[in-house]
Amino acid sequence: MQDIPKPFKRPPKRFQPPGLEIIYEDHDILVVDKRSGLLTVSTDRVKDNTAFFLLNAYVKKGNQKSRNRVFIVHRLDRDTSGVLVFAKQEKARDDLQAEWQRFDKKYQAVIYGTLPDREGMISSYLAENRAHKMYSVNDASKGKLARTGYRVLQQAKHACLVEIDLLTGRKNQIRVHFSEQGFPVVGDRKYGTKEPGVKRLMLHACSVTIRHPRTKERMTFEAKVPPSFKAFLRE
């Protein structure tokens, strides 16, 4: 009979890695709420200030010789906040990645303008140019299929709050799809416009539903949407 992993007790905030809040942890997985501005993994310029580096230090608990470590399952853009799932075993990572496209992933975003339909689907093939920006192409052989479902939760005069079903997980997918429709995500300096007074990209991974790699139990993890999203709509 397979052992059922028990969740670890959530550590006090002062012991949690900076920029990350532990949502759930057991012997197989570690789920966090990542703040906007923190990279998931390192780049040529940033090595240490990443979720991956900080969580590796967290699971080693100060012991550099510890064999404890985390494994990357998926990524969030630096400026996107919300639920981020890591594995703590190699097999757990492989199992999660094998099913990742089938898991439910919901986001919320504040976008400029008024969408013509209160709910719908945006679908295109995404490719990347030499400047590392994503864009849609008509030729399926030149891009990867990207599908983004959405529904409007709240409409203001100048912007709206949308809930998004991420049906595929392409790089910058949500940001590209809404920008190309003429409704860029608020605070998106890469695919939108620089707006004075907007301090962050208003895109948040609010929930992920997975099957636990060991028990196969269906589990949903949630991270509260930042209050600044609705505050922006009230302005």
Side-chain angles (χ1 to χ4, degrees):
M1 189 173 176
Q2 187 162 241
D3 293 335
I4 298 175
K6 294 181 179 179
F8 294 0
K9 185 178 180 180
R10 189 179 302 186
K13 282 194 173 182
R14 67 181 183 276
F15 294 129
Q16 297 193 32
L20 297 162
E21 181 180 347
I22 308 295
I23 297 174
Y24 177 89
E25 182 182 7
D26 62 27
H27 286 288
D28 299 289
I29 61 174
L30 177 56
V31 185
V32 298
D33 180 0
K34 182 187 81 70
R35 67 164 169 79
S36 175
L38 181 68
L39 286 164
T40 300
V41 296
S42 63
T43 64
D44 293 338
R45 294 182 180 180
V46 181
K47 301 295 182 185
D48 298 348
N49 190 28
T50 69
F52 179 68
F53 180 90
L54 294 168
L55 289 174
N56 267 317
Y58 164 78
V59 298
K60 289 178 182 292
K61 302 189 186 306
N63 181 3
Q64 290 301 316
K65 294 182 179 179
S66 170
R67 293 185 179 181
N68 294 336
R69 60 164 298 188
V70 296
F71 297 85
I72 297 163
V73 175
H74 69 119
R75 304 181 187 195
L76 290 178
D77 293 343
R78 168 187 266 184
D79 295 327
T80 301
S81 57
V83 181
L84 187 57
V85 179
F86 287 85
K88 294 173 67 178
Q89 313 287 341
E90 215 165 346
K91 185 180 184 306
R93 175 200 62 192
D94 294 343
D95 289 349
L96 288 168
Q97 287 186 338
E99 292 193 80
W100 192 255
Q101 293 292 343
R102 293 189 288 274
F103 293 150
D104 293 330
K105 300 170 285 290
K106 292 191 183 297
Y107 287 67
Q108 286 192 22
V110 180
I111 62 172
Y112 285 113
T114 302
L115 289 161
D117 300 306
R118 290 198 67 84
E119 60 182 280
M121 174 79 65
I122 305 171
S123 181
S124 72
Y125 296 96
L126 293 183
E128 187 171 7
N129 65 21
R130 292 180 180 178
H132 305 296
K133 287 187 71 172
M134 306 299 291
Y135 64 100
S136 292
V137 295
N138 295 322
D139 189 344
S141 67
K142 295 181 180 178
K144 294 181 178 179
L145 178 64
R147 299 173 68 235
T148 305
Y150 69 87
R151 66 186 183 97
V152 177
L153 297 178
Q154 182 179 342
Q155 181 68 57
K157 185 177 180 180
H158 62 303
C160 63
L161 178 68
V162 291
E163 182 180 78
I164 297 156
D165 286 316
L166 190 66
L167 302 176
T168 55
R170 309 305 179 199
K171 178 182 176 181
N172 299 161
Q173 175 182 323
I174 294 171
R175 299 162 65 183
V176 175
H177 270 172
F178 282 103
S179 177
E180 290 182 341
Q181 297 293 314
F183 308 99
V185 177
V186 173
D188 193 344
R189 298 183 179 186
K190 189 173 185 179
Y191 298 99
T193 56
K194 187 175 180 180
E195 179 98 3
V198 177
K199 296 181 179 180
R200 60 155 295 177
L201 175 73
M202 292 196 176
L203 178 61
H204 180 78
C206 53
S207 74
V208 173
T209 300
I210 67 168
R211 281 206 314 163
H212 193 280
R214 185 185 299 265
T215 67
K216 306 307 177 186
E217 176 190 359
R218 186 176 172 86
M219 304 179 76
T220 298
F221 304 105
E222 298 179 334
K224 290 183 179 179
V225 177
S228 59
F229 284 30
K230 289 197 173 182
F232 180 84
L233 294 174
R234 290 194 298 268
E235 290 177 357

